[in-house]
């Protein structure tokens, strides 16, 4: 990155930060549908968060045996390493839409 201009370096740093920023979901507080989009209110290892996904089929990826990865409309990924680690209410909300 040393050979990049200041503007290019800042753009690259922002892209890398977005790509590798992946909060871990600890609890699901609410999932709601609004105009075909799904809005998740969650608690993560980095604090409370809300994110929106466009498609249940393409924006939620199941990684066997029990891992899920969510990609929001901004390209940020949220990680759920093991669905069984969720409390019963959170797990039930998620299973209702999967």
């Amino acid at each position: 990155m040393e050979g990049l201009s200041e503007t290019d370096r800042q753009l690259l740093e922002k892209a890398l930060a977005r790509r590798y920023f992946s909060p871990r979901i600890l609890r699901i507080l609410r999932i709601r549908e609004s105009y075909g989009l799904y809005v998740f209110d969650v608690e993560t290892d980095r604090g409370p968060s809300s994110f929106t996904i466009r498609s249940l089929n393409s924006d939620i990826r199941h990684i066997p045996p029990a891992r899920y990865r969510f990609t929001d409309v901004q390209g940020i990924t949220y990680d759920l390493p093991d669905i069984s680690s969720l409390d019963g209410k959170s797990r039930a909300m998620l299973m209702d839409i999967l």
Side-chain angles (χ1 to χ4, degrees):
M1 292 196 332
E2 294 172 6
L4 297 175
S5 70
E6 180 66 20
T7 302
D8 289 342
R9 187 183 57 74
Q10 288 176 356
L11 287 172
L12 180 58
E13 284 176 352
K14 281 183 181 181
L16 289 172
R18 185 179 316 136
R19 171 78 171 130
Y20 293 103
F21 177 75
S22 186
R24 190 177 67 230
I25 296 172
L26 304 175
R27 193 170 108 176
I28 298 172
L29 305 173
R30 186 167 114 173
I31 301 172
R32 63 190 184 280
E33 184 181 4
S34 178
Y35 302 104
L37 301 173
Y38 290 86
V39 181
F40 287 71
D41 295 321
V42 298
E43 286 184 15
T44 74
D45 61 335
R46 298 178 185 188
S49 187
S50 181
F51 63 91
T52 303
I53 64 172
R54 290 187 182 101
S55 167
L56 297 175
N57 294 326
S58 62
D59 295 332
I60 300 176
R61 186 169 157 221
H62 178 227
I63 305 165
R67 185 177 194 168
Y68 286 85
R69 179 153 285 187
F70 304 79
T71 304
D72 76 2
V73 294
Q74 297 176 345
I76 297 171
T77 59
Y78 290 78
D79 191 37
L80 177 57
D82 186 347
I83 193 169
S84 68
S85 69
L86 291 175
D87 62 272
K89 185 177 176 184
S90 296
R91 195 169 38 256
M93 279 189 277
L94 183 56
M95 295 310 292
D96 281 347
I97 66 163
L98 292 178

